[in-house]
mmCIF file of all heavy atoms in Angstrom:
data_model
loop_
_atom_site.group_PDB
_atom_site.id
_atom_site.type_symbol
_atom_site.label_atom_id
_atom_site.label_comp_id
_atom_site.label_asym_id
_atom_site.label_seq_id
_atom_site.Cartn_x
_atom_site.Cartn_y
_atom_site.Cartn_z
ATOM 1 N N LEU A 5 -11.496 4.890 5.068
ATOM 2 C CA LEU A 5 -11.746 3.765 4.162
ATOM 3 C C LEU A 5 -10.769 2.615 4.391
ATOM 4 O O LEU A 5 -11.173 1.448 4.486
ATOM 5 C CB LEU A 5 -11.638 4.275 2.716
ATOM 6 C CG LEU A 5 -11.711 3.231 1.605
ATOM 7 C CD1 LEU A 5 -13.079 2.561 1.589
ATOM 8 C CD2 LEU A 5 -11.401 3.870 0.248
ATOM 9 N N PHE A 6 -9.478 2.926 4.483
ATOM 10 C CA PHE A 6 -8.497 1.840 4.600
ATOM 11 C C PHE A 6 -8.500 1.215 5.993
ATOM 12 O O PHE A 6 -8.181 0.026 6.129
ATOM 13 C CB PHE A 6 -7.102 2.323 4.191
ATOM 14 C CG PHE A 6 -6.911 2.441 2.690
ATOM 15 C CD1 PHE A 6 -7.940 2.166 1.801
ATOM 16 C CD2 PHE A 6 -5.679 2.834 2.154
ATOM 17 C CE1 PHE A 6 -7.773 2.278 0.416
ATOM 18 C CE2 PHE A 6 -5.500 2.942 0.774
ATOM 19 C CZ PHE A 6 -6.542 2.670 -0.090
ATOM 20 N N ILE A 9 -11.175 -1.279 5.575
ATOM 21 C CA ILE A 9 -10.715 -2.416 4.766
ATOM 22 C C ILE A 9 -9.835 -3.320 5.626
ATOM 23 O O ILE A 9 -9.996 -4.548 5.628
ATOM 24 C CB ILE A 9 -9.989 -1.919 3.496
ATOM 25 C CG1 ILE A 9 -11.034 -1.415 2.484
ATOM 26 C CG2 ILE A 9 -9.120 -3.020 2.886
ATOM 27 C CD1 ILE A 9 -10.461 -0.853 1.195
ATOM 28 N N ILE A 14 -15.089 -3.441 5.111
ATOM 29 C CA ILE A 14 -15.333 -3.242 3.677
ATOM 30 C C ILE A 14 -14.535 -4.326 2.969
ATOM 31 O O ILE A 14 -13.358 -4.538 3.287
ATOM 32 C CB ILE A 14 -14.883 -1.838 3.223
ATOM 33 C CG1 ILE A 14 -15.827 -0.782 3.809
ATOM 34 C CG2 ILE A 14 -14.822 -1.729 1.708
ATOM 35 C CD1 ILE A 14 -15.441 0.654 3.494
ATOM 36 N N PRO A 15 -15.165 -5.067 2.054
ATOM 37 C CA PRO A 15 -14.469 -6.190 1.419
ATOM 38 C C PRO A 15 -13.294 -5.755 0.544
ATOM 39 O O PRO A 15 -13.310 -4.661 -0.046
ATOM 40 C CB PRO A 15 -15.556 -6.867 0.568
ATOM 41 C CG PRO A 15 -16.727 -5.970 0.568
ATOM 42 C CD PRO A 15 -16.547 -4.905 1.604
ATOM 43 N N SER A 16 -12.288 -6.610 0.491
ATOM 44 C CA SER A 16 -11.139 -6.374 -0.380
ATOM 45 C C SER A 16 -10.566 -7.722 -0.762
ATOM 46 O O SER A 16 -10.870 -8.733 -0.127
ATOM 47 C CB SER A 16 -10.073 -5.532 0.344
ATOM 48 O OG SER A 16 -9.565 -6.252 1.447
ATOM 49 N N GLU A 17 -9.758 -7.713 -1.793
ATOM 50 C CA GLU A 17 -9.118 -8.951 -2.249
ATOM 51 C C GLU A 17 -7.735 -9.047 -1.591
ATOM 52 O O GLU A 17 -6.805 -8.345 -1.991
ATOM 53 C CB GLU A 17 -8.996 -8.953 -3.775
ATOM 54 C CG GLU A 17 -8.615 -10.304 -4.346
ATOM 55 C CD GLU A 17 -8.368 -10.239 -5.856
ATOM 56 O OE1 GLU A 17 -8.861 -9.286 -6.501
ATOM 57 O OE2 GLU A 17 -7.658 -11.119 -6.360
ATOM 58 N N PHE A 28 -3.772 -5.629 -0.104
ATOM 59 C CA PHE A 28 -4.953 -5.984 -0.903
ATOM 60 C C PHE A 28 -4.813 -5.383 -2.300
ATOM 61 O O PHE A 28 -4.100 -4.397 -2.513
ATOM 62 C CB PHE A 28 -6.240 -5.479 -0.223
ATOM 63 C CG PHE A 28 -6.254 -4.007 0.083
ATOM 64 C CD1 PHE A 28 -6.971 -3.118 -0.712
ATOM 65 C CD2 PHE A 28 -5.540 -3.492 1.160
ATOM 66 C CE1 PHE A 28 -6.975 -1.752 -0.442
ATOM 67 C CE2 PHE A 28 -5.539 -2.125 1.449
ATOM 68 C CZ PHE A 28 -6.259 -1.268 0.650
ATOM 69 N N HIS A 29 -5.498 -6.019 -3.250
ATOM 70 C CA HIS A 29 -5.404 -5.592 -4.642
ATOM 71 C C HIS A 29 -6.160 -4.280 -4.843
ATOM 72 O O HIS A 29 -7.287 -4.111 -4.348
ATOM 73 C CB HIS A 29 -5.955 -6.696 -5.557
ATOM 74 C CG HIS A 29 -5.098 -7.924 -5.544
ATOM 75 N ND1 HIS A 29 -4.064 -8.118 -6.432
ATOM 76 C CD2 HIS A 29 -5.085 -8.997 -4.717
ATOM 77 C CE1 HIS A 29 -3.459 -9.269 -6.165
ATOM 78 N NE2 HIS A 29 -4.061 -9.824 -5.128
ATOM 79 N N ASP A 30 -5.515 -3.364 -5.578
ATOM 80 C CA ASP A 30 -6.119 -2.058 -5.849
ATOM 81 C C ASP A 30 -7.394 -2.245 -6.685
ATOM 82 O O ASP A 30 -7.436 -3.065 -7.606
ATOM 83 C CB ASP A 30 -5.115 -1.165 -6.598
ATOM 84 C CG ASP A 30 -5.500 0.300 -6.542
ATOM 85 O OD1 ASP A 30 -6.507 0.673 -7.198
ATOM 86 O OD2 ASP A 30 -4.816 1.070 -5.848
ATOM 87 N N ILE A 31 -8.405 -1.462 -6.379
ATOM 88 C CA ILE A 31 -9.688 -1.574 -7.068
ATOM 89 C C ILE A 31 -9.588 -1.075 -8.515
ATOM 90 O O ILE A 31 -10.409 -1.440 -9.360
ATOM 91 C CB ILE A 31 -10.777 -0.784 -6.283
ATOM 92 C CG1 ILE A 31 -12.160 -1.295 -6.580
ATOM 93 C CG2 ILE A 31 -10.665 0.712 -6.524
ATOM 94 C CD1 ILE A 31 -13.226 -0.782 -5.615
ATOM 95 N N SER A 32 -8.593 -0.272 -8.792
ATOM 96 C CA SER A 32 -8.411 0.305 -10.130
ATOM 97 C C SER A 32 -6.959 0.098 -10.569
ATOM 98 O O SER A 32 -6.155 1.042 -10.596
ATOM 99 C CB SER A 32 -8.767 1.802 -10.088
ATOM 100 O OG SER A 32 -8.523 2.398 -11.339
ATOM 101 N N PRO A 33 -6.600 -1.150 -10.904
ATOM 102 C CA PRO A 33 -5.186 -1.479 -11.112
ATOM 103 C C PRO A 33 -4.560 -0.718 -12.277
ATOM 104 O O PRO A 33 -5.143 -0.615 -13.355
ATOM 105 C CB PRO A 33 -5.202 -2.993 -11.368
ATOM 106 C CG PRO A 33 -6.601 -3.334 -11.719
ATOM 107 C CD PRO A 33 -7.491 -2.313 -11.072
ATOM 108 N N GLN A 34 -3.359 -0.200 -12.016
ATOM 109 C CA GLN A 34 -2.606 0.549 -13.035
ATOM 110 C C GLN A 34 -1.519 -0.302 -13.685
ATOM 111 O O GLN A 34 -0.750 0.187 -14.519
ATOM 112 C CB GLN A 34 -1.980 1.791 -12.399
ATOM 113 C CG GLN A 34 -2.999 2.721 -11.757
ATOM 114 C CD GLN A 34 -4.041 3.215 -12.763
ATOM 115 O OE1 GLN A 34 -3.695 3.690 -13.837
ATOM 116 N NE2 GLN A 34 -5.319 3.078 -12.420
ATOM 117 N N HIS A 38 -1.066 -4.750 -8.954
ATOM 118 C CA HIS A 38 -1.185 -3.459 -8.252
ATOM 119 C C HIS A 38 -1.804 -3.751 -6.886
ATOM 120 O O HIS A 38 -3.017 -3.934 -6.753
ATOM 121 C CB HIS A 38 -2.043 -2.482 -9.048
ATOM 122 C CG HIS A 38 -2.039 -1.088 -8.471
ATOM 123 N ND1 HIS A 38 -2.633 -0.016 -9.107
ATOM 124 C CD2 HIS A 38 -1.521 -0.591 -7.312
ATOM 125 C CE1 HIS A 38 -2.469 1.077 -8.372
ATOM 126 N NE2 HIS A 38 -1.808 0.741 -7.268
ATOM 127 N N LEU A 40 -1.867 -2.764 -2.664
ATOM 128 C CA LEU A 40 -1.647 -1.712 -1.663
ATOM 129 C C LEU A 40 -1.283 -2.359 -0.340
ATOM 130 O O LEU A 40 -1.969 -3.297 0.101
ATOM 131 C CB LEU A 40 -2.918 -0.870 -1.494
ATOM 132 C CG LEU A 40 -3.450 -0.204 -2.765
ATOM 133 C CD1 LEU A 40 -4.804 0.452 -2.489
ATOM 134 C CD2 LEU A 40 -2.466 0.817 -3.306
ATOM 135 N N VAL A 85 5.637 2.652 -4.453
ATOM 136 C CA VAL A 85 5.312 4.077 -4.510
ATOM 137 C C VAL A 85 4.540 4.477 -3.256
ATOM 138 O O VAL A 85 3.634 3.749 -2.830
ATOM 139 C CB VAL A 85 4.431 4.389 -5.750
ATOM 140 C CG1 VAL A 85 3.945 5.831 -5.736
ATOM 141 C CG2 VAL A 85 5.180 4.089 -7.040
ATOM 142 N N ASN A 86 4.890 5.621 -2.707
ATOM 143 C CA ASN A 86 4.050 6.243 -1.689
ATOM 144 C C ASN A 86 3.703 7.644 -2.160
ATOM 145 O O ASN A 86 4.601 8.469 -2.392
ATOM 146 C CB ASN A 86 4.783 6.322 -0.333
ATOM 147 C CG ASN A 86 4.004 7.176 0.657
ATOM 148 O OD1 ASN A 86 4.390 8.304 0.949
ATOM 149 N ND2 ASN A 86 2.904 6.671 1.151
ATOM 150 N N ASN A 87 2.425 7.907 -2.336
ATOM 151 C CA ASN A 87 1.970 9.244 -2.690
ATOM 152 C C ASN A 87 1.644 9.988 -1.397
ATOM 153 O O ASN A 87 0.895 9.473 -0.559
ATOM 154 C CB ASN A 87 0.717 9.166 -3.570
ATOM 155 C CG ASN A 87 1.002 8.509 -4.909
ATOM 156 O OD1 ASN A 87 2.104 8.629 -5.444
ATOM 157 N ND2 ASN A 87 0.028 7.793 -5.443
ATOM 158 N N CYS A 88 2.214 11.173 -1.246
ATOM 159 C CA CYS A 88 2.005 11.953 -0.013
ATOM 160 C C CYS A 88 1.458 13.328 -0.354
ATOM 161 O O CYS A 88 2.085 14.080 -1.108
ATOM 162 C CB CYS A 88 3.319 12.065 0.764
ATOM 163 S SG CYS A 88 3.162 13.037 2.286
ATOM 164 N N GLY A 92 1.645 15.080 -4.256
ATOM 165 C CA GLY A 92 2.036 13.679 -4.439
ATOM 166 C C GLY A 92 0.930 12.829 -5.032
ATOM 167 O O GLY A 92 1.174 11.674 -5.406
ATOM 168 N N GLY A 93 -0.284 13.374 -5.095
ATOM 169 C CA GLY A 93 -1.392 12.631 -5.681
ATOM 170 C C GLY A 93 -2.087 11.694 -4.711
ATOM 171 O O GLY A 93 -2.790 10.766 -5.136
ATOM 172 N N GLN A 94 -1.924 11.928 -3.412
ATOM 173 C CA GLN A 94 -2.571 11.062 -2.428
ATOM 174 C C GLN A 94 -4.072 11.333 -2.385
ATOM 175 O O GLN A 94 -4.494 12.477 -2.233
ATOM 176 C CB GLN A 94 -1.964 11.288 -1.036
ATOM 177 C CG GLN A 94 -2.541 10.355 0.018
ATOM 178 C CD GLN A 94 -1.876 10.535 1.392
ATOM 179 O OE1 GLN A 94 -1.066 11.447 1.585
ATOM 180 N NE2 GLN A 94 -2.228 9.670 2.319
ATOM 181 N N THR A 95 -4.852 10.284 -2.552
ATOM 182 C CA THR A 95 -6.314 10.440 -2.533
ATOM 183 C C THR A 95 -6.949 9.771 -1.319
ATOM 184 O O THR A 95 -8.054 10.134 -0.935
ATOM 185 C CB THR A 95 -6.956 9.865 -3.814
ATOM 186 O OG1 THR A 95 -6.631 8.476 -3.909
ATOM 187 C CG2 THR A 95 -6.467 10.600 -5.050
ATOM 188 N N VAL A 96 -6.284 8.776 -0.750
ATOM 189 C CA VAL A 96 -6.799 8.113 0.458
ATOM 190 C C VAL A 96 -5.832 8.439 1.589
ATOM 191 O O VAL A 96 -4.631 8.135 1.506
ATOM 192 C CB VAL A 96 -6.930 6.588 0.267
ATOM 193 C CG1 VAL A 96 -7.390 5.939 1.572
ATOM 194 C CG2 VAL A 96 -7.902 6.267 -0.862
ATOM 195 N N HIS A 97 -6.369 9.039 2.644
ATOM 196 C CA HIS A 97 -5.501 9.593 3.693
ATOM 197 C C HIS A 97 -5.278 8.594 4.829
ATOM 198 O O HIS A 97 -5.567 8.873 5.994
ATOM 199 C CB HIS A 97 -6.043 10.949 4.127
ATOM 200 C CG HIS A 97 -6.013 11.916 2.980
ATOM 201 N ND1 HIS A 97 -4.855 12.563 2.589
ATOM 202 C CD2 HIS A 97 -6.962 12.253 2.073
ATOM 203 C CE1 HIS A 97 -5.115 13.299 1.515
ATOM 204 N NE2 HIS A 97 -6.377 13.119 1.183
ATOM 205 N N HIS A 98 -4.795 7.438 4.412
ATOM 206 C CA HIS A 98 -4.267 6.399 5.304
ATOM 207 C C HIS A 98 -3.038 5.890 4.561
ATOM 208 O O HIS A 98 -3.155 5.365 3.439
ATOM 209 C CB HIS A 98 -5.315 5.292 5.513
ATOM 210 C CG HIS A 98 -4.877 4.160 6.386
ATOM 211 N ND1 HIS A 98 -5.629 3.720 7.469
ATOM 212 C CD2 HIS A 98 -3.798 3.344 6.329
ATOM 213 C CE1 HIS A 98 -5.002 2.696 8.048
ATOM 214 N NE2 HIS A 98 -3.896 2.440 7.354
ATOM 215 N N HIS A 100 -0.123 4.363 2.613
ATOM 216 C CA HIS A 100 -0.072 3.086 1.888
ATOM 217 C C HIS A 100 1.081 3.097 0.902
ATOM 218 O O HIS A 100 1.480 4.146 0.397
ATOM 219 C CB HIS A 100 -1.390 2.792 1.168
ATOM 220 C CG HIS A 100 -1.909 3.930 0.349
ATOM 221 N ND1 HIS A 100 -2.554 5.022 0.902
ATOM 222 C CD2 HIS A 100 -1.855 4.162 -0.979
ATOM 223 C CE1 HIS A 100 -2.889 5.866 -0.054
ATOM 224 N NE2 HIS A 100 -2.466 5.375 -1.215
ATOM 225 N N HIS A 102 2.116 1.505 -2.742
ATOM 226 C CA HIS A 102 1.658 0.808 -3.949
ATOM 227 C C HIS A 102 2.768 -0.142 -4.400
ATOM 228 O O HIS A 102 3.930 0.283 -4.547
ATOM 229 C CB HIS A 102 1.419 1.788 -5.097
ATOM 230 C CG HIS A 102 0.325 2.788 -4.881
ATOM 231 N ND1 HIS A 102 -0.903 2.706 -5.497
ATOM 232 C CD2 HIS A 102 0.279 3.917 -4.120
ATOM 233 C CE1 HIS A 102 -1.652 3.756 -5.137
ATOM 234 N NE2 HIS A 102 -0.952 4.490 -4.304
HETATM 235 P P1 5GP B 201 -3.414 7.184 -3.601
HETATM 236 O O1 5GP B 201 -3.886 7.961 -4.787
HETATM 237 O O2 5GP B 201 -3.983 7.731 -2.313
HETATM 238 O O3 5GP B 201 -1.927 7.007 -3.542
HETATM 239 O O4 5GP B 201 -3.946 5.719 -3.793
HETATM 240 C C1 5GP B 201 -5.214 5.286 -3.386
HETATM 241 C C2 5GP B 201 -5.487 4.004 -4.114
HETATM 242 O O5 5GP B 201 -6.554 3.353 -3.470
HETATM 243 C C3 5GP B 201 -5.879 4.187 -5.579
HETATM 244 O O6 5GP B 201 -4.977 3.476 -6.411
HETATM 245 C C4 5GP B 201 -7.291 3.636 -5.647
HETATM 246 O O7 5GP B 201 -7.568 2.956 -6.837
HETATM 247 C C5 5GP B 201 -7.344 2.714 -4.437
HETATM 248 N N1 5GP B 201 -8.666 2.557 -3.844
HETATM 249 C C6 5GP B 201 -9.525 3.555 -3.535
HETATM 250 N N2 5GP B 201 -10.635 3.051 -2.972
HETATM 251 C C7 5GP B 201 -10.469 1.700 -2.929
HETATM 252 C C8 5GP B 201 -11.288 0.624 -2.448
HETATM 253 O O8 5GP B 201 -12.392 0.810 -1.945
HETATM 254 N N3 5GP B 201 -10.794 -0.632 -2.574
HETATM 255 C C9 5GP B 201 -9.555 -0.868 -3.113
HETATM 256 N N4 5GP B 201 -9.162 -2.148 -3.189
HETATM 257 N N5 5GP B 201 -8.754 0.111 -3.579
HETATM 258 C C10 5GP B 201 -9.206 1.381 -3.478
#
Side-chain angles (χ1 to χ4, degrees):
L5 173 65
F6 283 2
I9 284 178
I14 290 177
S16 64
E17 192 186 339
F28 55 103
H29 293 269
D30 197 290
I31 203 167
S32 176
Q34 302 301 310
H38 188 173
L40 303 173
V85 173
N86 170 254
N87 295 328
C88 179
Q94 183 177 7
T95 60
V96 177
H97 297 281
H98 179 128
H100 49 282
H102 296 255

